[in-house]
Amino acid sequence: MHTNELVIEAGRIERQYWKDIWKYRELFYFLAWRDILVRYKQTAIGLAWALIRPFLTMVVFTVVFGQLAKLPSQGNAPYAIMVFAALLPWQFFSSALGECGNSLLRNSNLISKVYFPRLIVPISAVIVSFVDFLISGMILVGLMAWYNFIPDWRILTLPLFIAIACMAALGAGLWLAALNVEYRDFQYIIPFIIQLGLYISPVGFSSKIVPEQWRLLYSLNPMVGVIDGFRWAILRGESAIYLPGFLLSLGLVILLFLSGIWYFRRTEKVFADVI
């Protein structure tokens, strides 16, 4: 009969941390699947909400910014596709940030009773948002078919920008998840950050309308580089990347990601005591 041997040794958790994440890898699946079921439980149309919300947001942004405000699109790209190419990463980022930031508190019973690498909890929350992201991507395919808009070779680089969006969401989410355990004020700060971020990110408009002298400063928002990258990959040659700003945003995303892991690992030892 196969048995698991539990070894209790000083400093073992620190040395074996990343191996333990692989050992407990099934938890990623169970936590993510549980959250997906809970999210759409007792809804009449279930996963269709993952399509309806971004579609209606895209319609509103297209009407307000494209038709009423008469803001320019990028090149000859249809305004709706330009908006949705930005809405896709933004909705993923904002959803992942909200889910990740509150993930530890939602799993407080589990965390206070059983040992496992706590990093699994916020990563699982990001996976749930990534499932919505993939479903929402069907709308982009539908828009391209509707406008007969065919992407070129740049679409092959899209996974790179998806990876950057994941790093941004997880990095910021780890900071907020850890801070939320100690300071419950962050339950109210997180929705405010998401709301503010929507206004200061180029979701409903092109980042080209930002005056040239302010573009580098504007790129201090890490999502500017992510959104510009998505548009560059999706809108063929209609959208150009402002390289200094993109490199600045990328550097900030990497810093956010690494510092998020560092702070989470530093504070997770006391989660079970204060949660």
Side-chain angles (χ1 to χ4, degrees), residues 16 26 47 70 82 91 112 132 170 183 194 248 260 265:
Q16 302 287 329
E26 288 185 350
L47 282 171
K70 300 293 183 186
M82 187 200 74
Q91 289 239 328
S112 59
D132 282 350
L170 188 58
Y183 308 102
I194 293 172
L248 176 60
R265 291 278 290 111

Side-chain angles (χ1 to χ4, degrees), residues 86-117:
L87 198 58
L88 204 54
W90 171 256
Q91 289 239 328
F92 165 64
F93 175 79
S94 61
S95 172
L97 197 63
E99 296 289 335
C100 199
N102 293 304
S103 59
L104 294 176
L105 295 185
R106 281 203 312 271
N107 290 280
S108 57
N109 288 336
L110 186 64
I111 290 171
S112 59
K113 292 176 181 171
V114 184
Y115 165 74
F116 62 93

Side-chain angles (χ1 to χ4, degrees), residues 45-59 84 91 135-136 139:
I45 55 176
L47 282 171
W49 282 113
L51 295 172
I52 292 175
R53 287 185 302 172
F55 179 76
L56 292 179
T57 307
M58 179 270 296
V59 170
F84 203 80
Q91 289 239 328
I135 295 171
S136 302
I139 298 177

Side-chain angles (χ1 to χ4, degrees), residues 164-212:
I164 298 173
C166 288
M167 288 173 62
L170 188 58
L174 289 176
W175 271 101
L176 293 175
L179 289 169
N180 206 7
V181 172
E182 191 167 0
Y183 308 102
R184 303 302 161 89
D185 311 68
F186 280 88
Q187 293 179 83
Y188 308 100
I189 293 175
I190 292 171
F192 176 72
I193 292 174
I194 293 172
Q195 188 177 20
L196 182 65
L198 178 61
Y199 292 121
I200 63 174
S201 300
V203 179
F205 52 87
S206 168
S207 60
K208 281 186 175 179
I209 69 171
V210 177
E212 192 69 26

Side-chain angles (χ1 to χ4, degrees), residues 34-51 53 128 131-132 135:
R34 183 204 61 182
D35 288 346
I36 290 172
L37 291 179
V38 169
R39 175 180 290 194
Y40 298 109
K41 186 180 181 182
Q42 293 184 329
T43 59
I45 55 176
L47 282 171
W49 282 113
L51 295 172
R53 287 185 302 172
V128 174
V131 172
D132 282 350
I135 295 171

